[in-house]
Amino acid sequence: MSEKLQKVLARAGVGSRREMETMISAGRVSVDGKVAYLGDRVEPQQVIRVDGHVVKTISEDAQICRVLAYHKPEGEICSRHDPEGRPTVFDRLPKLQGSRWIAIGRLDINTSGLLLFTTDGELANRLMHPKFEVEREYAVRVFGEVTDAIIQKLRTGVMLEDGQANFKKIKVLPGEGLNRWFHVMLTEGRNREVRRMWESQGTVVNRLIRVRYGDLHLPKHIPAGGYAECSLDEVNYLRELVKLPAETQSLIKAEDRSERRRRIAGMRRAVRKHQIAEKTPGRTTETKAKPKPKAKEEKPAKRPAAKPVNKKPSRAGRG
């Protein structure tokens, strides 16, 4: 069965579909020795080259759908590469061969919490599409006076630069003062939508954490900067949510409680090491050889102190 060329290349981990469309339009992709064009379809047995290099493709049926739950810390951006050299959410993810991790949605640099990744581009596209109305829940700390009228307005809808938006649910958490915590729920993921909605009411968001995506919650045992692979049941829950067929395989290995503890402890050590390396100028995570200690210089032996000479009294005038 033939498939669109950009879809096959994206599944092989070469890049996103949009990046593949750009490369095809630039004449950098060939099929069976002939330059490919946008809109071409390919069969499994055809040879695809990108910049002259053969691409190892995999059929859609043979690909195992994997999903990763990542605890994004503040300060990381949701891009593969950053011209400014800032850390990205892809830096610490496990390496893959023949595929790549695709972020399901984005969180801005000052937002932390649950960020999902998958190897299935179709699953990612459907989960991000507004028509499926997948719930996203955030814990948000707001500075400013929040009245019942403001909460009601955020529920019914406020006008933003890119159209009207509203929270499906708002839960007020216990507390007093001008710094209050709320839980809000959306079914879309527009850029900085939660922050812009609160700012439209004269308040400021000073903390924002995504705590849930669909029915998948931010795992409490994962440190900021850590990740955990989702089980087959969780993967199939997401696939059913967007009307995709169930996955039958999983690469997760069974582990007992002690193995799980060791894995999480190792993850915490790796996260701390990475954080220290980022904060220390000029330091990398690679282990450097320690310089050999210098040989001690031999000091000249001390001469024994001269003993004082006792002079006899003079005998002048004797005899």
Side-chain angles (χ1 to χ4, degrees):
M1 182 179 177
S2 65
E3 293 183 278
K4 287 186 177 180
L5 178 56
Q6 61 266 31
K7 181 179 178 181
V8 173
L9 289 171
R11 188 168 61 237
V14 182
S16 67
R17 290 195 192 183
R18 185 174 296 178
E19 290 170 341
M20 294 304 96
E21 290 172 358
T22 302
M23 294 176 74
I24 294 169
S25 300
R28 296 170 57 188
V29 182
S30 67
V31 179
D32 291 340
K34 297 180 181 180
V35 176
Y37 295 93
L38 201 59
D40 284 355
R41 300 180 73 88
V42 293
E43 299 288 343
Q45 69 274 11
Q46 291 183 287
V47 179
I48 304 173
R49 286 183 171 86
V50 175
D51 295 333
H53 301 285
V54 176
V55 176
K56 185 179 180 181
T57 60
I58 183 172
S59 66
E60 191 170 11
D61 295 335
Q63 184 188 40
I64 298 176
C65 176
R66 301 172 65 183
V67 177
L68 209 65
Y70 179 65
H71 186 167
K72 178 192 176 298
E74 295 180 7
E76 290 184 353
I77 63 170
C78 292
S79 298
R80 294 186 186 274
H81 307 287
D82 180 50
E84 300 178 25
R86 292 172 295 182
T88 79
V89 294
F90 293 92
D91 290 345
R92 287 194 284 256
L93 300 188
K95 305 300 180 185
L96 298 176
Q97 290 185 349
S99 61
R100 69 188 217 156
W101 293 114
I102 302 166
I104 301 175
R106 302 167 70 91
L107 296 175
D108 68 47
I109 190 170
N110 294 321
T111 301
S112 61
L114 179 62
L115 183 61
L116 298 178
F117 293 86
T118 181
T119 55
D120 189 332
E122 186 62 29
L123 176 64
N125 290 332
R126 293 195 183 198
L127 285 171
M128 290 184 286
H129 202 286
K131 76 175 183 179
F132 289 102
E133 296 188 340
V134 181
E135 294 182 354
R136 290 97 156 154
E137 184 177 347
Y138 297 83
V140 52
R141 188 174 68 189
V142 179
F143 177 77
E145 186 176 354
V146 180
T147 62
D148 293 339
I150 288 177
I151 292 176
Q152 185 59 31
K153 194 170 184 180
L154 290 171
R155 283 198 182 108
T156 55
V158 295
M159 185 58 65
L160 303 177
E161 299 88 345
D162 52 356
Q164 190 162 344
N166 70 293
F167 292 130
K168 302 301 178 184
K169 294 179 184 176
I170 302 178
K171 180 180 178 182
V172 183
L173 299 186
E176 297 179 355
L178 295 180
N179 252 331
R180 299 280 305 277
W181 281 96
F182 300 85
H183 272 222
V184 298
M185 194 267 284
L186 293 167
T187 55
E188 58 182 2
R190 282 190 262 170
N191 183 38
R192 300 185 73 254
E193 187 172 9
V194 175
R195 295 180 187 274
R196 289 189 293 141
M197 288 177 66
W198 284 104
E199 288 168 2
S200 71
Q201 304 305 304
T203 59
V204 177
V205 172
N206 53 31
R207 192 81 189 276
L208 185 60
I209 308 166
R210 184 193 278 167
V211 296
R212 181 170 63 88
Y213 198 101
D215 280 350
L216 299 187
H217 292 259
L218 177 65
K220 294 181 180 180
H221 65 276
I222 299 180
Y227 58 84
E229 186 154 357
C230 294
S231 66
L232 184 59
D233 288 341
E234 291 171 326
V235 171
N236 283 331
Y237 156 73
L238 293 174
R239 295 182 69 83
E240 184 181 359
L241 205 60
V242 293
K243 298 177 171 49
L244 284 175
E247 177 60 80
T248 58
Q249 300 181 63
S250 175
L251 296 180
I252 299 179
K253 296 179 181 179
E255 58 183 7
D256 58 25
R257 186 175 296 179
S258 61
E259 288 173 332
R260 183 170 177 267
R261 280 204 204 98
R262 284 196 296 270
R263 178 174 58 82
I264 294 173
M267 184 189 302
R268 292 181 187 276
R269 287 194 297 270
V271 169
R272 284 196 296 268
K273 184 178 179 182
H274 191 86
Q275 291 170 342
I276 292 171
E278 286 177 352
K279 292 178 181 178
T280 306
R283 180 173 176 175
T284 64
T285 55
E286 296 177 0
T287 304
K288 296 182 179 180
K290 294 182 180 180
K292 294 182 179 180
K294 294 181 179 180
K296 294 183 179 180
E297 297 180 359
E298 293 185 0
K299 296 182 180 180
K302 293 183 179 180
R303 293 182 180 179
K307 293 182 179 180
V309 179
N310 293 326
K311 294 183 179 181
K312 294 182 180 180
S314 174
R315 295 184 178 183
R318 184 178 175 186

